[in-house]
Amino acid sequence: MSLIGTKWKPLVLFHLLEGPLRSGVLQKKVPEISNKMFTQTVRELETYGLISRKVFPVVPPKVEYRLSARGKSLGPILQSLDQWGFEDCGLS
Amino acid sequence: MSLIGTKWKPLVLFHLLEGPLRSGVLQKKVPEISNKMFTQTVRELETYGLISRKVFPVVPPKVEYRLSARGKSLGPILQSLDQWGFEDCGLS
DNA sequence: GCAATAACTTACTTAAAAGTACTATAGTTG
DNA sequence: CAACTATAGTACTTTTAAGTAAGTTATTGC
């Protein structure tokens, strides 16, 4: 379960639950993430087949990320985790 | 969510879902874990209030771990994760 | 009195994750 | 033609997680 065994993957997946987002927007939803970790994270999620990456050949570049079917199947789990985090106060 | 953001915490919690276990038994359920990481993991889980630790003042020592109410509330999530891991093949 | 026991601890080392800072791309705008 | 854009890559450092190996405790049983 190296999907959740990182600081950022669950967060990124979580923000995609509501729908596809382009790279910049997604990254702004996770303000503390460094540029490097962001691309690294989405690349790994893509490798695992949890999200798909769609590149529009325009300038400046435009890239959109969306959950794959497999990624969507994580939805309930991510939401449970999120909810659990709120219910049971600050664990950090 | 530093509960799952580690290699061992989810595993240890998972094994406690079925009921309390004494230290040695729990550790054997996770054979690859090092001695140090085991105690460190249960200590942190205890600090987070997810498990409770019961010491029997006998020699040789006997210690039992059980999920707290809060730990139990993670049950469904842990099981979903476990199931998800099986369904969707090898992710490492 | 010395080994065995179960649970832990401590000091030290290695490996993995994350952060910082800088560079690349290629059209568009001024 | 230089600056700006959005996305990504790379080299290097720091931080954090995990592993190894040894030691501690207090009793029992030989």
Side-chain angles (χ1 to χ4, degrees), chain A residues 21-75:
Chain A
L21 289 174
R22 57 180 303 188
S23 188
V25 178
L26 178 54
Q27 187 166 354
K28 270 169 206 120
K29 296 229 176 200
V30 193
E32 327 86 36
I33 200 174
S34 69
N35 181 252
K36 177 196 146 190
M37 285 315 294
F38 176 70
T39 41
Q40 187 177 308
T41 299
V42 290
R43 283 301 152 85
E44 286 176 16
L45 289 173
E46 194 192 4
T47 302
Y48 291 162
L50 294 174
I51 64 177
S52 69
R53 183 164 175 273
K54 190 173 179 184
V55 182
F56 299 83
V58 297
V59 164
K62 175 177 174 181
V63 177
E64 206 176 73
Y65 295 101
R66 66 181 62 225
L67 290 183
S68 68
R70 194 172 162 214
K72 281 178 191 156
S73 74
L74 267 174

Side-chain angles (χ1 to χ4, degrees), chain B residues 1-2 34-35 40 47 52 54 57 59 69 77 79 83 90-91:
Chain B
M1 316 205 154
S2 59
S34 71
N35 183 253
Q40 187 177 309
T47 301
S52 70
K54 190 173 179 183
V59 163
I77 298 177
Q79 280 164 341
Q83 200 180 328
L91 10 115

Side-chain angles (χ1 to χ4, degrees), chain B residues 23-24 43 53 61 65:
Chain B
S23 189
R43 284 301 154 85
R53 183 161 174 275
Y65 295 102

